[in-house]
Amino acid sequence: MPPRSDLDHDNCTTEDASSLAIKQPSSSSSSSRPKNKSKPKSSYERRRRPRVLFKSTHGISGVLSTLLTILAIISTTHQQLLRQQLLQQQQQQTIPSPPSQRPSSSSSNNNSSSDSSLVVTVTTTCSSITSILAVMASILTASSGINIVDQAPKQTVVMEHPIRVIPPHRDAFRRTAFSVYYLGARICWNAVPELIHTLLEGNDDSSTSSSNNNTNTGGSSSGSEEDANCGIIHWIWSIATLIYALKYFLPHPSELEWKNGNTYVFVLPMAMGLTVDAFYQLPILQCHHRYNITTYNNDNDNDTTTTTTNICWNEDVITQLDLLYVLLSGLLVAFVFTLAFRGVLGVKKCYWGAAAVVHGIVFCLVGKALPFVIMYE
């Protein structure tokens, strides 16, 4: 939910009251003092368009949440780029170099890798903190927006032919608020463990990939108690998110308006997308194994090497950056509707623009998730 704007009606009210007092003077005032001949006001002055102000808690928190989300997107993008550069440097160090170049190259590589690791640690901390702050501001915005949702119109006829499209605006605002809560929980589920791991252990790239809510499907028996506790936490989280999605996002078939085009434009795409994401939070579905088999021919023998990599939903499919983009899109779309309800923009244009944004996000995420869904071990 974005900043719901307030209207400055004070000036218009006082001017209307003064004009009525001039047009309809009382008998006592006309007898006591002479009539004041004032210049008639123009239609622009009598019907001046109200100004849009952001002076409430909802408006201030909406502006802050939007700005913090943009900062979180920038910092997270920068963090990912630095990690890719650090990974490339580490891969280059593993390549054997000629003996004459080993002493000088090894020392320079060690210095550059240590500096890069420090920069990655700082950027990871900044991105995690800004993401958490953006979530807090967004939750405050959504909560304050639910309290004033009755100010929005109940519904608007957007299209009548060939199918009637009548969006229920108040229900849409509540659905957006519940989506913001879910996205905030998902972002914090990724950011908080990463922040704790970075502050306590530094940015060790060998363990970074497993610190961000990965589910280990196979490993040694050491540390079984810690793994069991982590598994319990993952199961509690996944079941809670799935129950939340089924309760607030997946409507009952009897409650859907199948003859209303808004059901197919907004309700079903959002319900399916968020429910599928909650479904893949289950530890048994969180990660898949991908086997890379490489064969080398050495004279008469065939040497085959097999490498296994984990492809996880939260780290490789629907990433933290994707969640932040979806959160920012939700804030901006709801803000545009707020302007439409205040008469600043047209409701129909805002509706179809928001529909284009939502379907663009859905198609983009489906394109990323489909290879993961059909992947077999």
Side-chain angles (χ1 to χ4, degrees):
M1 294 283 286
R4 179 176 293 274
S5 55
D6 297 327
L7 295 178
D8 187 8
H9 290 285
D10 298 336
N11 296 331
C12 297
T13 304
T14 55
E15 290 175 2
D16 294 339
S18 62
S19 62
L20 290 175
I22 293 174
K23 291 180 180 179
Q24 298 177 358
S26 60
S27 58
S28 59
S29 61
S30 61
S31 59
S32 60
R33 61 175 181 265
K35 296 181 179 180
N36 296 327
K37 294 182 179 181
S38 60
K39 184 179 179 180
K41 297 182 178 180
S42 63
S43 60
Y44 175 77
E45 293 177 349
R46 288 196 304 267
R47 299 179 182 179
R48 188 173 58 122
R49 195 169 190 175
R51 292 182 302 163
V52 180
L53 302 177
F54 303 98
K55 59 184 180 181
S56 63
T57 303
H58 183 61
I60 295 173
S61 62
V63 173
L64 287 177
S65 62
T66 304
L67 294 177
L68 288 173
T69 305
I70 294 174
L71 290 176
I73 290 174
I74 295 173
S75 60
T76 304
T77 304
H78 186 56
Q79 172 203 0
Q80 292 182 358
L81 293 176
L82 289 177
R83 281 189 172 181
Q84 291 178 1
Q85 294 177 1
L86 180 61
L87 183 61
Q88 292 177 358
Q89 290 179 1
Q90 292 179 351
Q91 290 177 353
Q92 290 177 358
Q93 291 179 4
T94 58
I95 300 176
S97 58
S100 59
Q101 298 179 359
R102 284 178 185 176
S104 59
S105 61
S106 61
S107 60
S108 60
N109 290 333
N110 291 331
N111 293 331
S112 61
S113 61
S114 61
D115 295 338
S116 301
S117 299
L118 180 60
V119 173
V120 170
T121 302
V122 174
T123 54
T124 301
T125 304
C126 293
S127 63
S128 300
I129 292 176
T130 52
S131 299
I132 295 172
L133 292 177
V135 167
M136 294 173 62
S138 300
I139 291 176
L140 179 60
T141 303
S143 301
S144 58
I146 291 180
N147 297 330
I148 58 176
V149 73
D150 293 335
Q151 298 179 11
K154 291 184 178 180
Q155 60 185 17
T156 302
V157 179
V158 176
M159 187 175 68
E160 295 185 357
H161 301 286
I163 184 174
R164 291 177 62 87
V165 179
I166 307 175
H169 298 299
R170 297 181 182 180
D171 293 339
F173 267 110
R174 294 187 182 94
R175 195 181 307 114
T176 304
F178 294 141
S179 302
V180 169
Y181 296 153
Y182 178 83
L183 291 172
R186 283 277 282 108
I187 291 171
C188 288
W189 176 253
N190 294 333
V192 173
E194 186 177 28
L195 178 62
I196 295 175
H197 178 268
T198 303
L199 294 178
L200 294 181
E201 301 181 11
N203 193 72
D204 187 5
D205 193 70
S206 61
S207 60
T208 302
S209 59
S210 63
S211 65
N212 214 3
N213 305 331
N214 278 356
T215 303
N216 296 326
T217 56
S220 61
S221 59
S222 61
S224 59
E225 183 178 357
E226 183 179 357
D227 294 339
N229 293 333
C230 185
I232 293 174
I233 294 174
H234 278 81
W235 276 105
I236 294 175
W237 156 256
S238 60
I239 293 174
T241 54
L242 187 59
I243 292 175
Y244 183 89
L246 294 176
K247 181 178 180 180
Y248 292 106
F249 301 140
L250 194 63
H252 195 272
S254 61
E255 299 177 354
L256 287 175
E257 299 178 0
W258 296 103
K259 295 182 179 180
N260 189 352
N262 182 73
T263 302
Y264 308 97
V265 175
F266 274 104
V267 179
L268 291 181
M270 293 179 63
M272 294 176 61
L274 294 172
T275 304
V276 168
D277 181 78
F279 186 72
Y280 274 94
Q281 297 303 306
L282 293 172
I284 57 175
L285 302 175
Q286 178 68 224
C287 295
H288 286 331
H289 294 299
R290 184 173 63 183
Y291 298 98
N292 299 324
I293 301 176
T294 305
T295 303
Y296 299 95
N297 294 324
N298 294 328
D299 296 335
N300 296 328
D301 297 333
N302 292 330
D303 294 336
T304 303
T305 58
T306 303
T307 58
T308 304
T309 56
N310 283 338
I311 306 299
C312 295
W313 180 269
N314 289 352
E315 289 75 33
D316 304 305
V317 183
I318 308 300
T319 62
Q320 182 83 335
L321 192 60
D322 296 329
L323 297 174
L324 290 171
Y325 273 119
V326 175
L327 178 60
L328 179 61
S329 301
L331 294 173
L332 294 178
V333 165
F335 173 64
V336 168
F337 271 107
T338 298
L339 297 180
F341 298 152
R342 300 300 187 182
V344 179
L345 299 175
V347 176
K348 293 183 179 180
K349 294 181 180 179
C350 293
Y351 181 84
W352 294 117
V357 172
V358 170
H359 284 270
I361 293 173
V362 170
F363 287 136
C364 180
L365 297 182
V366 167
K368 296 183 64 176
L370 194 58
F372 180 84
V373 174
I374 64 177
M375 184 182 298
Y376 293 96
E377 294 188 3

